[in-house]
Amino acid sequence: TLFLDEVGDTPPEVQAMLLRVLETGEVAPVGGEALQRVDVRLVAATDSNLEEAIRDGRFRAPLLHRLAGYELQLPPLRERRDDIGRLLIHFLRQELDRTGEVHRLRAPLHGAEPWLPASLVARLTAHSWPGNVRQLKNVARQLVISSRGAAIAQVDGAVQRLLEERGPAATVPPSAEVSPERAP
C-alpha cells in the first residue's frame, strides 16, 4: 500500500509518472533499465479541490479518474464538532502516555478540579481548525508540554493565540463538552 498525501499538490511531471504506473502496473527503478511489474494498492489524500485544479490545468483529469476508484469525502474538522472532544482526549492520552502522566485524564478525586477543564474543551471545540486533525493533535501536544507538573492544563501563548482566532462557524453544540472520564 502506497499512501500519497496531498496528491493535489503533485507537480505535473510526477502526475504523468503516476498515471503511467497506474495504467501499466510497471515502474522503472532508479538507475535500472528494465521495467518491474508492481502490485500496489494506492491511497491518496488531499484537501485540494481536484475538479477545480483540473479546470485550472493544475491536475490531470485521467489521474483523478484512476485515483477515484473508491472515494471518501471527509468533512473538515470544523464541520464535525462532535469529534473534536473525542479526538482531543485521544491525542492527550497519547501524549500523556509518552510522559508517564496519563493519570491526569482520570476523574478527579473528591471535588478537585479536573486537569482538563470543560471550559478549555469548549473553547477548543469552538475553534475553526483550519489545519484539521493534525492541528488539533499538535495543540494536544502543546498542552501536555506546557502543563508538565501543573495541576491544571496550561494554555501557552501559541495555543492562546489560536483560541483567539476567529474562523467559520464557531458555535459549540452541547454534546461537544467531553470530560475525560466520559471520553472513549
Side-chain angles (χ1 to χ4, degrees):
T1 300
L2 177 62
F3 176 59
L4 301 175
D5 197 10
E6 297 301 340
V7 73
D9 297 334
T10 306
E13 58 274 6
V14 175
Q15 290 180 42
M17 288 186 266
L18 280 172
L19 186 55
R20 187 171 54 250
V21 169
L22 291 173
E23 286 176 355
T24 65
E26 297 176 327
V27 296
V30 175
E33 294 189 22
L35 293 175
Q36 281 188 300
R37 195 103 184 110
V38 292
D39 181 16
V40 177
R41 178 182 344 176
L42 191 62
V43 178
T46 188
D47 59 3
S48 300
N49 181 331
L50 294 181
E51 297 292 341
E52 183 180 302
I54 289 169
R55 283 191 300 275
D56 295 345
R58 294 178 286 117
F59 200 83
R60 298 178 61 138
L63 180 56
L64 175 61
H65 298 310
R66 281 174 185 74
L67 291 173
Y70 188 81
E71 192 173 330
L72 296 174
Q73 294 286 331
L74 186 61
L77 191 53
R78 69 181 160 274
E79 293 177 17
R80 299 179 290 127
R81 298 225 178 259
D82 287 347
D83 292 345
I84 294 172
R86 288 182 201 87
L87 287 167
L88 175 65
I89 297 300
H90 171 75
F91 294 139
L92 285 170
R93 186 169 284 125
Q94 284 181 332
E95 293 300 322
L96 288 166
D97 189 45
R98 285 186 185 112
T99 64
E101 299 177 310
V102 76
H103 64 277
R104 293 183 175 278
L105 290 179
R106 292 191 194 118
L109 298 175
H110 309 295
E113 278 193 60
W115 178 79
L116 182 64
S119 60
L120 177 56
V121 175
R123 289 175 67 200
L124 290 166
T125 302
H127 184 64
S128 63
W129 298 107
N132 277 311
V133 175
R134 289 182 188 115
Q135 186 182 29
L136 178 62
K137 184 175 185 173
N138 289 336
V139 165
R141 179 175 292 130
Q142 286 176 275
L143 284 171
V144 169
I145 291 169
S146 64
S147 301
R148 293 196 84 172
I152 297 175
Q154 303 296 303
V155 177
D156 69 7
V159 174
Q160 184 60 39
R161 283 188 298 280
L162 176 93
L163 291 172
E164 291 170 356
E165 291 175 4
R166 290 288 172 232
T171 55
V172 182
S175 62
E177 291 191 26
V178 175
S179 63
E181 61 273 9
R182 287 189 7 217

